[in-house]
Amino acid sequence: MPSIEITPGHITLAQLREIRQGGVTLSLHASATEIIRRSAAVVQAAAAGDAPVYGVNTGFGKLASTRISKEDLATLQFNLIRSHCVGVGAPLQPGVVRLMLATKAASLARGHSGVREAVVQSLLDVFNAGLVPYVPAQGSVGASGDLAPLSHMTLALLGEGEMLVDGKRVPALPELQKHGIAPLVLQAKEGLALINGTQTSTALALEGLLRFESLYASAIVSGALSLDAARGSDGPFDPRIHAVRGQPGQIEAAAAYRQLLVGSEIRHSHEIGDDRVQDPYCLRCQPQVMGACLDQSRYVRDVLLREANAVTDNPLVFANEDGTAQMISGGNFHAEPVALAADALAVAIAEVGAIAERRIAMLIDTSVSRLPPFLTENAGLNSGFMIAHVTAAALASENKSLAHPASVDSLPTSANQEDHVSMATFGARRLGPMLDNTSHIIGIELLAAAQGIEFLRPLTSSQPLEEVHALLRQSCPPMPSDHYLAPDIENAFKLVNGGQLAQLLTRSTGLVVLS
């Protein structure tokens, strides 16, 4: 099995892709050992002393002024985990939990959390065994850390929680024992360090971002196929137009559309004698819209990559090589960067779907596309793509509601001690349904555009677009008359998410969505 060596503070996006996918093992770079030990020694000294230190010998949140006796410090940490396991809802997907385990280990290994090596190793051991803690999806407001979901993850490490095995909840302890992993025993501050932090919201947002790669590539391809099916102009993709604006994503997107259309017989067939002056925006403005979404996704990538490498618990330990040290309370657990990034990605996902829905509407409108009404030969007897478009419209409308920013909806918690929260965890979690909606919209567009191409035969499209057409036809036959269309939509949905169109886009145009 391939192995990834984690260098704390330097995890790459490529490594995060592999971690999410699974099938790899994780190890910690040797350089982390000494700083972890120095940090842990600071906390152990604080626990042995008399001065109050938040989270070490005090209660939590509004109870921070309550002192805890030395003999109860371990119980304090265990009780913290138990009491914070209050999540509800469906379990998080295994890929998300794998990202949580890995990024929490990497964060603690930065040596500012005061935990022992055993804590980091426990996270790595569970990951390497292929175990997936059972973590309910709902219950975090994205501040003071993702407390509830990270507590469920931690309780599994302690042998008192649950694991997700073949989609079913099972007790964690037998699974740990089966793989020779001793349940973790917490010491001072370690429970707090494990559940303070943004690893759940970050993992959910990373899941959304990594899924967006395939969706975005598929939308570029489906948009180009619709352009050719509608016999649209490639003039709006002229590089000079985009160079004078200077937006990098727009320039790259326009270049991709140009490359996808090179050599199309359909395009050449209407260079002379076509009386249309300008195409509708859903065709003409694709580089502007999709380019802006590309830039948006890269901003999100940069924020999330920083957060995946960050130290986000509290209080933090700053231990120096000369033996001096400080423990400082702060607010790195506040997930506002993740919340704003998730909101930005949500808007991009919605926009990709919104303009695709408009292209479907254009294709079925014979007055604009000049194709048969609803893309069927005998309209009236056949409804063609009439109601497939209705489905796309319904999904685009759902996305408009889901794209409302989560980050502006703070609610105070912990008796007003935690009086402004980010809502990053919901903001990131809602990306999944939005991606499903938009992937279905793009799937419907692929079907509609491919049907449009059928009406232009024997003319052919470009080589890459003909490849897309053939790939779609492997599982989705033409529709000269009405047939059961829902299975075709699901097969097209799988094609959108499967990565084949992303590979084709990169191979044909050189465009890489997220490097």
Side-chain angles (χ1 to χ4, degrees), residues 236-247 250-251 254 287-288:
F237 306 102
D238 188 300
R240 292 169 293 184
I241 294 173
H242 309 287
V244 297
R245 192 177 202 183
Q247 295 290 354
Q250 179 179 325
I251 291 169
Q288 288 79 6

Side-chain angles (χ1 to χ4, degrees), residues 391-479:
T391 296
L395 298 174
S397 179
E398 278 189 25
N399 275 354
K400 291 176 183 178
S401 294
L402 288 169
H404 181 278
S407 57
V408 301
D409 192 25
S410 174
L411 281 172
T413 60
S414 193
N416 283 311
Q417 174 74 9
E418 296 157 8
D419 56 356
H420 181 278
V421 298
S422 73
M423 298 299 177
T425 319
F426 165 68
R429 181 166 51 83
R430 62 68 142 91
L431 298 176
M434 293 187 71
L435 286 158
D436 286 344
N437 289 343
T438 301
S439 294
H440 277 107
I441 294 170
I442 300 303
I444 293 169
E445 183 187 11
L446 283 169
L447 293 169
Q451 189 63 32
I453 295 292
E454 304 283 355
F455 290 116
L456 304 179
R457 297 301 192 206
L459 295 174
T460 60
S461 187
S462 65
Q463 184 274 324
L465 293 181
E466 287 292 340
E467 189 177 336
V468 172
H469 189 278
L471 190 61
L472 184 70
R473 287 290 176 250
Q474 291 177 10
S475 58
C476 304
M479 200 169 81

Side-chain angles (χ1 to χ4, degrees), residues 13-46:
L13 191 66
Q15 290 173 329
L16 291 168
R17 281 194 193 94
E18 292 186 76
I19 289 166
R20 168 185 174 246
Q21 189 65 33
V24 297
T25 58
L26 302 178
S27 61
L28 193 61
H29 193 277
S31 62
T33 302
E34 182 56 33
I35 185 65
I36 293 173
R37 290 174 179 171
R38 287 204 305 267
S39 176
V42 173
V43 170
Q44 289 159 10

